[in-house]
Amino acid sequence: MKIRTILILFLTALLFTACANVDITKTGKGYTEPTNPNDIEILMTVPTDRKYVELGSITVSGFKANQEAKMHNALRAKSSPLGADAVILNSRGITPGGLLTAPKIWATGVAIRFED
């Protein structure tokens, strides 16, 4: 009986743990020095006042709906090795939760570097 109870508790815990995922695919050519993640901007609109080059495409998913700041920090951490100055999120949404799962947020975008 103890093993069954432990197994049920383990499976329940597994259902409640979320696998947050940030995927970045390098799309720009060449090499750019990594940047400090703390300096990377998260943008919701395309900057029209500055020229930039695209470094990579980004897909993020699996964060709880109330973890947007955590998602932004994960984006900064993953895009800094590319040398990004900013991440432009061009599409975002929420996947509904189920009976035992909370709603999750997702986003797609691009990592960019501003030209001087």
Side-chain angles (χ1 to χ4, degrees):
M1 193 61 142
K2 281 186 175 182
I3 293 175
R4 185 175 183 193
T5 305
I6 292 172
L7 183 61
I8 290 172
L9 289 174
F10 175 74
L11 291 175
T12 303
L14 190 62
L15 285 174
F16 285 109
T17 57
C19 295
N21 192 27
V22 179
D23 290 321
I24 296 186
T25 303
K26 186 175 183 313
T27 57
K29 62 181 181 178
Y31 172 78
T32 307
E33 285 289 325
T35 52
N36 183 341
N38 297 321
D39 296 333
I40 296 175
E41 300 176 58
I42 304 295
L43 306 174
M44 303 299 177
T45 58
V46 176
T48 56
D49 58 337
R50 296 177 76 181
K51 290 187 176 197
Y52 61 88
V53 293
E54 180 181 314
L55 302 174
S57 64
I58 296 174
T59 304
V60 60
S61 61
F63 286 92
K64 292 180 184 175
N66 63 352
Q67 294 180 321
E68 192 158 351
K70 193 173 193 176
M71 179 184 78
H72 288 180
N73 288 335
L75 287 168
R76 289 181 177 100
K78 290 282 190 157
S79 60
S80 67
L82 291 179
D85 290 322
V87 171
I88 304 170
L89 297 179
N90 53 27
S91 183
R92 16 181 299 187
I94 298 177
T95 56
L99 183 60
L100 296 175
T101 59
K104 305 284 192 255
I105 52 178
W106 59 268
T108 60
V110 292
I112 63 168
R113 179 149 187 102
F114 291 115
E115 295 180 332
D116 293 326

